[in-house]
Amino acid sequence: MENCIFCKIIKGEIPSVKLYENDEMIIIKDVAPQAPVHYLMIPKVHFKTIDEMNKEQSEILGRCFYTLGGLKEKLGLENGYRLIMNQGADACQTVPHLHVHILAGKKMEEKMC
Ligand code: AMP
């Protein structure tokens, strides 16, 4: 997508701190971290939310999660981590390209559910 900031990061048009990349996704540092470790797992294919994804995109997302599970040590997530996916306006999604927040590096104080 032309004006999507994450598509531009994926294409290398906007700089990012990249921790991992394969054919289907990247993991970068969030520019405004909310925890000592705050990464974003971003599928390369552009879609906004899980209710907008098609079957092929859902399979890609499944493989992204599987890959993430194998990166625990490399990413320093051994003590646990929180995954957050903001979906749409009420969830305050600001970038309309599906992404997964990976938060870690401290004992989380609040649980929302
Ligand atoms: P969300 O509000 O769930 O859509 O999350 C978007 C996230 O993208 C926020 O945590 C931002 O800090 C992060 N973000 C926005 N622009 C960049 C960027 N250029 N590089 C890294 N993270 C970014």
Side-chain angles (χ1 to χ4, degrees):
M1 290 286 283
E2 227 166 76
N3 287 318
C4 171
I5 191 165
F6 287 171
C7 285
K8 287 182 178 173
I9 286 174
I10 288 160
K11 283 192 261 174
E13 294 171 5
I14 291 178
S16 67
V17 180
K18 212 176 279 177
L19 299 142
Y20 179 81
E21 178 167 19
N22 67 16
D23 287 351
E24 295 187 318
M25 62 121 146
I26 58 171
I27 298 177
I28 63 168
K29 277 192 184 178
D30 195 293
V31 79
Q34 305 296 310
V37 171
H38 187 172
Y39 303 147
L40 301 171
M41 179 172 78
I42 309 172
K44 289 185 174 177
V45 62
H46 180 98
F47 58 100
K48 183 181 173 190
T49 52
I50 60 166
D51 49 287
E52 288 186 8
M53 72 187 171
N54 61 33
K55 189 163 181 291
E56 189 189 350
Q57 291 163 347
S58 78
E59 288 162 0
I60 290 170
L61 184 59
R63 287 193 293 274
C64 290
F65 278 110
Y66 178 73
T67 300
L68 175 60
L71 293 171
K72 200 166 72 169
E73 285 79 18
K74 180 180 165 63
L75 297 177
L77 305 174
E78 294 93 336
N79 287 335
Y81 49 101
R82 183 170 287 174
L83 301 180
I84 296 175
M85 298 173 72
N86 295 319
Q87 305 287 286
D90 279 4
C92 301
Q93 182 178 6
T94 56
V95 179
H97 179 130
L98 187 126
H99 52 282
V100 181
H101 294 262
I102 304 165
L103 299 163
K106 67 167 186 179
K107 180 81 178 168
M108 305 287 162
E109 282 163 23
E110 285 179 38
K111 280 183 86 175
M112 289 189 70
C113 54

